Amino acid sequence: MTNKIINSKLYCCSIGLLCALTYLLNFCTAIYQCALVFTIIAITINAVTFLYGKSKSLKGLAFAIMISFVLLWKLPYYIDGMIVNGLVFASFSSLMTSMYWSASVFQKLRSKFGLVTSNALSLSVGAIIDGFIMGLFFVLNNNFSYTRIIDIFNKELSYKIIYGLAASAVILIALNILKITST
């Protein structure tokens, strides 16, 4: 009974964190900020997938996205002084799609490669998919030149990979410390 209550509270806290992060995602003003928030969302999704399964993690993310979308759907979004219509919808669609594939890769690889490696690989997959979808959004909206879109993609992917690798290293160290102290 106590474990069920703790699990329920932990899940609710995770969904609350996802709500805050998805809301925050659309207030980032620099590429490195968006990449950091995205990486924290991906790690949270992987943690929820590990504890509760992919279905519950994606349902939680969908709930967080719906709450954030309702709060942000009329938000005027400017990049370089130009209003960019549809960016909130595109970013949430991209987030949901990339996290679906990231959680799927994490779940599939976890038994083969362990927690840390599958986490790092799934973060990379999610980052690439998110970058392609957002790049496609900017291409279709003719907001930027192709060179600028590729530059944004490269910078964002680089930040996401660096943050993901750093987070995976911290997770590895933490898990090793926990193993040492528990024995």
Side-chain angles (χ1 to χ4, degrees):
M1 176 78 168
T2 306
N3 283 343
K4 193 172 185 176
I5 293 170
I6 291 171
N7 278 340
S8 179
K9 286 182 180 180
L10 182 60
Y11 181 73
C12 288
C13 288
S14 300
I15 302 312
L17 177 62
L18 287 172
C19 286
L21 291 169
T22 55
Y23 185 80
L24 180 64
L25 186 62
N26 283 286
F27 286 99
C28 297
T29 57
I31 293 171
Y32 71 91
Q33 294 169 345
C34 291
L36 181 60
V37 173
F38 177 89
T39 303
I40 296 169
I41 290 170
I43 291 168
T44 305
I45 290 295
N46 284 349
V48 174
T49 299
F50 179 75
L51 295 171
Y52 304 104
K54 183 174 85 169
S55 177
K56 274 191 112 169
S57 70
L58 294 176
K59 286 176 187 175
L61 179 62
F63 175 78
I65 287 173
M66 287 188 301
I67 296 294
S68 296
F69 185 75
V70 166
L71 296 172
L72 297 172
W73 74 284
K74 287 190 175 185
L75 177 73
Y77 204 94
Y78 294 90
I79 297 178
D80 294 339
M82 297 183 324
I83 193 158
V84 181
N85 292 317
L87 187 62
V88 172
F89 179 75
S91 71
F92 286 148
S93 299
S94 178
L95 180 65
M96 191 69 210
T97 304
S98 61
M99 288 301 102
Y100 170 82
W101 288 106
S102 178
S104 297
V105 167
F106 176 77
Q107 193 173 41
K108 232 179 215 345
L109 296 180
R110 193 178 76 225
S111 62
K112 277 186 180 177
F113 297 107
L115 180 70
V116 176
T117 303
S118 58
N119 184 59
L121 291 172
S122 69
L123 290 175
S124 300
V125 168
I128 292 167
I129 292 170
D130 182 64
F132 277 130
I133 293 171
M134 290 309 296
L136 183 62
F137 169 77
F138 287 120
V139 166
L140 293 175
N141 278 342
N142 295 319
N143 292 87
F144 302 114
S145 68
Y146 293 124
T147 306
R148 176 87 192 276
I149 293 169
I150 291 170
D151 182 51
I152 291 170
F153 174 79
N154 287 336
K155 284 181 183 176
E156 190 165 8
L157 186 60
S158 297
Y159 282 122
K160 287 174 184 174
I161 298 294
I162 290 169
Y163 293 150
L165 290 175
S168 294
V170 169
I171 291 168
L172 178 65
I173 291 167
L175 289 175
N176 283 332
I177 289 171
L178 289 173
K179 281 181 187 176
I180 292 169
T181 57
S182 67
T183 56

